[in-house]
Structures are given as C-alpha cells and as structure tokens.
Amino acid sequence: MPELVFFSGTMDCGKSTLALQIEHNRSARGLQGMIFSRNDRAGQGKLSSRLGLVTDAVEVADGQDLYAYLVDHLSQGGRADYVIADEAQFLVPDQIDQLARVVDDLGLDVYAFGITTDFRTKLFPGSQRLVELADRVEVLQVEALCWCGARATHNARTVDGAMVVEGAQVVVGDVNQSADEIGYEVLCRRHHRRRMTAATARAAALSPDVLPVPST
C-alpha cells in the first residue's frame, strides 16, 4: 500500500541526503519521481545536501495545490512513480493534506523530509500536520551533535554567534553561516534552555571567573 512517510530530525542530521539517496535508488530502477522543495540552501528549484549533492526540484509556491499539480502533470502524459517533498516544514497544512490525497487518490508513495520544531522549540505548522496525517513518522538515526558532544535535539537561531529566541519563524539560513550573520546551530536541550551556543561557550571558557578556584 502507498504511504505518506515523514522523515524528521534536527538540522544537520542528513534528511536531504536521505531524500537524494531515495531518489537515486528509485531512478536507478527506472522509476521517475516528482521532487518538491521550498527554501533550499542551494536556491530555488533545488534539493541539496550539505555533502555537496544536488538535484533539480519543483519550487513550491505560496498557495500552490500540490495535488492539482500532480494531476495536471499526469494528465499531460508526464510520469510520477513517487513523490519527494524536502523542507516539508515550510509547507502549509493544506499542502500536507494535498500530499496525503496524492497517496490516497493517486496511489503514489510520498516521502516528506523536514525538521519538526523551529528555533523557539515550537512546531512548524507543516510538520505538525505531517505528524497528524502520516502513515509513518521516522526519526532519522544519524545523530547531530551539540557542541558539548551530547545528542542535539533542538535547532537554535544565532546572530553574531549568540542564540536568539525572537523573530519570524522562517528565516533561511544554514548551520555553516559565518558568526557575523544569521545562522543556525543544533544544541542539546540543556544548552538550548541556557541559550549557550558554541561561540558563547568558548567566550565563557575564556573568562577567569567561570570556575573560581579558592586561594590556598
């Protein structure tokens, strides 16, 4: 039976790499996929991995009906044996409903990839709808690590290396941005709660007052 599968995890845990691997494995067997993406780091109309792999994709527009797009594509003689939707957290709930309809009415597997929560630890609306509708939710087993070495569970937005907790939910950035611009960092829950990024941890470690040693 066709399925709607949601692959979730923090940033930097290999979601897009897995999406590209699924595309490669199926295309190598003669299958053709429809790839949707939104706000990819490589630019519009791309699905890319931090490992340097990239392929073309359909850039999802605001208000676009993904089910109608697939029906139109198939009606014009196009082919789609499965669907990949990367950066699915940026889709609106109605578009997730449309992907579910693709599974149920068109009989196609849909593989959606995205992060679950934003930099404030709040659910993205698209991810929330996927959790509600997906036949399966798969948490990726490639663990991203916090700067302390613990498993990273939260995404932090940074400005000048310091964590921020206010601002628009969607600001495109990456974990490899330079310290003087908006970027993202994955943290364990403890350091996300303390708003302690790698940069602020280094600054604290340089302070002579961090661990006072009593005189003897």
Side-chain angles (χ1 to χ4, degrees):
M1 294 291 292
E3 290 185 306
L4 172 59
V5 186
F6 179 33
F7 295 92
S8 68
T10 62
M11 298 182 73
D12 214 20
C13 73
K15 296 181 302 300
S16 296
T17 301
L18 179 58
L20 287 161
Q21 185 68 55
I22 288 176
E23 162 66 11
H24 170 75
N25 290 352
R26 281 154 180 73
S27 62
R29 293 295 178 262
L31 301 176
Q32 293 184 20
M34 175 66 67
I35 303 176
F36 293 114
S37 188
R38 184 173 173 86
N39 297 333
D40 188 272
R41 68 183 69 81
Q44 289 196 347
K46 298 294 181 183
L47 164 56
S48 69
S49 163
R50 292 187 182 88
L51 298 181
L53 305 173
V54 63
T55 192
D56 292 330
V58 175
E59 183 75 15
V60 177
D62 292 335
Q64 183 176 2
D65 188 323
L66 303 184
Y67 176 81
Y69 185 94
L70 261 298
V71 169
D72 184 62
H73 173 76
L74 295 170
S75 298
Q76 295 185 35
R79 181 179 170 187
D81 300 306
Y82 59 93
V83 175
I84 290 174
D86 196 34
E87 306 293 356
Q89 72 273 7
F90 296 140
L91 303 182
V92 298
D94 282 350
Q95 290 170 327
I96 303 303
D97 286 357
Q98 293 154 15
L99 291 177
R101 189 180 177 192
V102 168
V103 175
D104 297 338
D105 294 358
L106 300 182
L108 302 180
D109 285 313
V110 174
Y111 306 101
F113 299 81
I115 58 179
T116 308
T117 57
D118 64 16
F119 69 105
R120 303 165 300 181
T121 71
K122 304 297 183 181
L123 284 167
F124 281 99
S127 299
Q128 177 179 334
R129 193 60 177 148
L130 275 165
V131 171
E132 294 166 347
L133 289 183
D135 297 291
R136 286 189 291 128
V137 177
E138 300 281 352
V139 178
L140 296 192
Q141 297 305 306
V142 178
E143 294 184 350
L145 299 179
C146 178
W147 59 265
C148 70
R151 177 173 176 265
T153 54
H154 291 69
N155 306 293
R157 182 180 294 171
T158 60
V159 177
D160 296 333
M163 179 175 158
V164 295
V165 294
E166 296 181 352
Q169 186 176 52
V170 179
V171 175
V172 178
D174 203 355
V175 294
N176 296 319
Q177 303 289 87
S178 62
D180 60 349
E181 56 187 333
I182 294 176
Y184 290 89
E185 183 175 344
V186 290
L187 300 172
C188 64
R189 184 182 64 235
R190 178 176 64 171
H191 288 124
H192 191 280
R193 289 179 56 246
R194 295 177 179 178
R195 303 185 188 181
M196 185 174 288
T197 65
T200 55
R202 282 193 296 268
L206 293 174
S207 170
D209 298 324
V210 174
L211 295 173
V213 179
S215 59
T216 58

